[in-house]
Amino acid sequence: MVAQETLPDRTPPAAGSAGEPGTAGEPDTAGEHGSVGEPGDGAPRGRAARLAAFGRTNGRAGWPRTLLAIASGLVMWLAFPPIDLWPLAPVGVAMFTLALRGLRGRTAGWLGFVGGAAFFLPVLTGIAKIGPDGWILLSLVQALYFVPLGAGIALVTRLRAWPVWAAALWVAEELLRGTVPFGGFPWARLAFSQTAAPLTPYASVGGAPLVTFLTALIGALLACAAVVVLGHRHGPAKAAARPLAVALGAAAVIVGGGLVIPTPAEGKPVTVAVIQGNVPRLGLDFQGQRKAVLDNHVKQTRELARQVRAGQAARPELVVWPENASDLDPYAEPDAYTAIDGAVRDIGVPVLVGALVDTPDGKRVENRGIVWDPRSGPGDYYVKRHPVPFGEYLPFRDVLTKLITRFERIPRDFAKGTRSGVMRLGPVTIGDVICFEVAYDKEVRDVAAGNLLVVQTNNATYGKTSLPPQQIAMSRLRAVEHGRTILVAATSGISAIVAPDGTMIDRSREFTPDIQVASVPARTSRTLSDRLGATPERALALLAVGAAGVAVATTRRKNEGK
């Protein structure tokens, strides 16, 4: 619980006034009659006082609000894979908003952190595979972004039409979290809970930021409806009818709008194959592990070639291997080169090979997707542009390696690529991203010019946790956002082929070899989201900042006028 100054009583504003509280800690319960989310001027002061006192004792946030903030984070977590109860995302947002509305900014910021911790700790449990300390630290760092979010929501709920401004704040929070520091960590965005839901088609209009905004807006409208009901629970039902109808009607319109947005899937058919070779689990040294992973992918590719010759599988026009299919540098290791080249020649079509390659100076490593032709061998390639901080490269290496011995496991940094992964692979142009780059709007948008999108990933470390299904969910949203088939190739799963409308054409199980072959549309048309680019996200973030600024200025004027 957080200390908060006891606030003086005040008279409600006159009808037609903005309805903002005169002090930072009072809930906005006395707005103009009929405005969205406001109980109305006709509500007796006793009821307004009881509503204002919700969860606060002696000037503190109180356990009811604290528990509601915790519950909101847990409810939002349940909306994400693998549990995947997507309708709970707006419910969690509604609970979070109700916990914060009417508090001072600093108190709301603290409750925001509490709710954020309750959300990120369970949603990021997969990180515990590399150490519980890393999981807890990352989760709490992510929860810090909910501090300004919580304070901002407490501010903007003093304004008219506050559900819109509150929803925009979620977009601003995700923009900040996905940008700083070290390029950010945009995992578990609200949009990524809505990848097989009525709101999914909105991704083709305004991308993931629009889906986040609408998810949060529905949640804020539910909170608004709850405020109306609470404010009129002892008064005439007619007084609550109009604002309640506006709030719930707007939510229904948003959901219904997603159902009528077309998600075209037509395109020139191309037969593709995705190889999941699997990884050895135990019993090999480091070098043996790397060789075994490569051998597994070679074996599965040769098995596909055998099935094609036997008429048991359609002949693919291109094949995709996952990230780290070869941790042996094929340019420097003759055995690795020979194994890959032999498998590619056997299948007889270009293969996108995920491999680790030493930089010319030998000081760093490149995470590459290499186009390997059955006749000419390795050709064009993409280098991962967004290596993972503290995983694939180490900021402040000289200092941290002396303080934390675990970082000795990262002997060399991964180099950052400098160009997008748009490449020719057989009869089509592909756009390649590697591993958690799929979470970043810009990285995927940059390669959406390809006819197909490819996600090469290695989830072996995080197998059987929430992270692989969460990554697949991101790919499903990206397919709709850019109107492209997505081929997800994972070393140990989950591999998948996703249609442009987000439909799962094929999906592998984890820790088992798998071959996926399908005829998919190769598309050239661009979605509205592609044309708008980052504009919706920037506009909504600016809207959020502007609304918070207006709330601060309005509150200051009211306090000065007392």
Side-chain angles (χ1 to χ4, degrees):
M1 298 191 296
V2 179
Q4 175 185 344
E5 293 90 311
T6 303
L7 301 170
D9 291 333
R10 60 184 177 88
T11 57
S17 65
E20 299 89 344
T23 56
E26 293 296 326
D28 183 12
T29 59
E32 182 180 357
H33 181 76
S35 63
V36 176
E38 309 304 333
D41 291 335
R45 282 182 55 83
R47 291 203 302 273
R50 287 196 296 273
L51 182 61
F54 162 65
R56 290 191 291 113
T57 57
N58 297 324
R60 300 189 176 193
W63 279 111
R65 285 184 182 269
T66 302
L67 293 176
L68 184 60
I70 294 172
S72 72
L74 296 175
V75 168
M76 283 189 286
W77 159 57
L78 295 174
F80 285 78
I83 302 173
D84 232 3
L85 299 176
W86 55 263
L88 292 183
V91 174
V93 170
M95 296 168 66
F96 188 74
T97 306
L98 290 172
L100 301 171
R101 185 175 183 272
L103 294 179
R104 289 189 183 275
R106 60 176 172 271
T107 306
W110 163 248
L111 283 191
F113 175 78
V114 170
F119 170 63
F120 284 109
L121 282 166
V123 87
L124 296 178
T125 50
I127 303 296
K129 282 289 192 81
I130 62 174
D133 53 346
W135 159 55
I136 293 172
L137 180 60
L138 177 62
S139 299
L140 296 181
V141 168
Q142 296 300 295
L144 287 173
Y145 291 89
F146 277 38
V147 172
L149 174 64
I153 288 176
L155 283 170
V156 301
T157 50
R158 303 165 187 173
L159 303 175
R160 295 186 184 281
W162 59 262
V164 176
W165 324 132
L169 279 166
W170 283 91
V171 178
E173 176 270 326
E174 291 183 353
L175 174 60
L176 180 65
R177 185 161 60 87
T179 306
V180 293
F182 311 116
F185 185 73
W187 209 270
R189 297 162 66 182
L190 281 181
F192 296 151
S193 70
Q194 304 296 303
T195 57
L199 298 184
T200 307
Y202 283 105
S204 65
V205 177
L210 179 59
V211 178
T212 283
F213 173 74
L214 294 176
T215 303
L217 180 56
I218 292 174
L221 288 168
L222 293 177
C224 179
V227 170
V228 171
V229 171
L230 288 172
H232 292 83
R233 62 191 183 282
H234 298 305
K238 184 178 179 180
R242 178 183 164 190
L244 187 62
V246 170
L248 296 181
V253 168
I254 293 169
V255 173
L259 299 176
V260 300
I261 295 175
T263 52
E266 75 280 355
K268 180 181 178 181
V270 57
T271 303
V272 302
V274 174
I275 299 295
Q276 177 176 301
N278 200 19
V279 299
R281 302 293 285 162
L282 296 170
L284 294 174
D285 59 18
F286 178 68
Q287 189 73 5
Q289 287 270 354
R290 297 196 299 172
K291 186 176 185 304
V293 172
L294 173 57
D295 289 345
N296 286 351
H297 288 86
V298 167
K299 179 181 178 181
Q300 289 302 108
T301 304
R302 289 189 176 276
E303 170 61 19
L304 173 59
R306 186 200 66 76
Q307 292 179 11
V308 170
R309 288 191 291 268
Q312 299 171 343
R315 178 182 176 83
E317 297 169 79
L318 59 94
V319 177
V320 177
W321 284 12
E323 176 190 26
N324 296 121
S326 178
D327 278 355
L328 300 172
D329 184 348
Y331 301 99
E333 301 270 358
D335 290 345
Y337 186 103
T338 299
I340 297 171
D341 197 59
V344 175
R345 289 178 182 274
D346 195 14
I347 191 61
V349 299
V351 178
L352 185 66
V353 176
L356 298 186
V357 176
D358 293 336
T359 56
D361 59 10
K363 295 181 179 180
R364 294 181 297 169
V365 181
E366 291 182 343
N367 193 346
R368 287 190 182 185
I370 306 170
V371 176
W372 205 294
D373 188 86
R375 292 176 295 276
S376 58
D380 200 3
Y381 61 86
Y382 166 66
V383 178
K384 186 177 182 181
R385 292 184 291 169
H386 211 301
V388 182
F390 306 102
E392 293 177 326
Y393 76 96
L394 189 57
F396 318 117
R397 173 177 291 276
D398 292 341
V399 175
L400 290 179
T401 50
K402 294 176 182 177
L403 298 175
I404 305 174
T405 57
R406 181 184 300 174
F407 286 137
E408 294 174 357
R409 300 178 187 176
I410 312 173
R412 294 188 295 170
D413 289 337
F414 278 59
K416 296 182 180 182
T418 57
R419 64 181 179 89
S420 74
V422 178
M423 302 178 289
R424 191 74 183 178
L425 185 67
V428 298
T429 300
I430 64 163
D432 187 24
V433 293
I434 296 178
C435 199
F436 92 137
E437 287 183 323
V438 71
Y440 291 88
D441 294 347
K442 182 180 185 303
E443 274 69 9
V444 184
R445 188 186 306 120
D446 284 351
V447 300
N451 307 126
L452 306 174
L453 294 179
V454 173
V455 180
Q456 295 178 287
T457 187
N458 176 13
N459 290 325
T461 301
Y462 307 106
K464 302 295 185 180
T465 73
S466 61
L467 299 190
Q470 287 171 7
Q471 190 178 53
I472 286 293
M474 297 177 198
S475 296
R476 296 186 71 176
L477 190 75
R478 297 305 188 193
V480 176
E481 182 175 4
H482 302 290
R484 294 291 186 268
T485 298
I486 292 192
L487 311 179
V488 183
T491 50
S492 59
I494 302 169
S495 299
I497 300 176
V498 185
D501 62 358
T503 303
M504 298 288 287
I505 296 174
D506 205 343
R507 175 181 174 136
S508 74
R509 292 181 293 115
E510 291 189 76
F511 295 112
T512 182
D514 193 69
I515 299 171
Q516 300 174 359
V517 181
S519 176
V520 300
R523 291 174 48 79
T524 57
S525 60
R526 303 175 67 201
T527 64
L528 180 58
S529 174
D530 290 323
R531 296 187 180 95
L532 293 176
T535 300
E537 181 177 43
R538 293 170 182 168
L540 289 168
L542 288 173
L543 186 69
V545 173
V550 169
V552 169
T554 303
T555 300
R556 182 177 294 116
R557 286 198 304 270
K558 284 182 174 287
N559 288 339
E560 291 173 351
K562 282 188 171 184

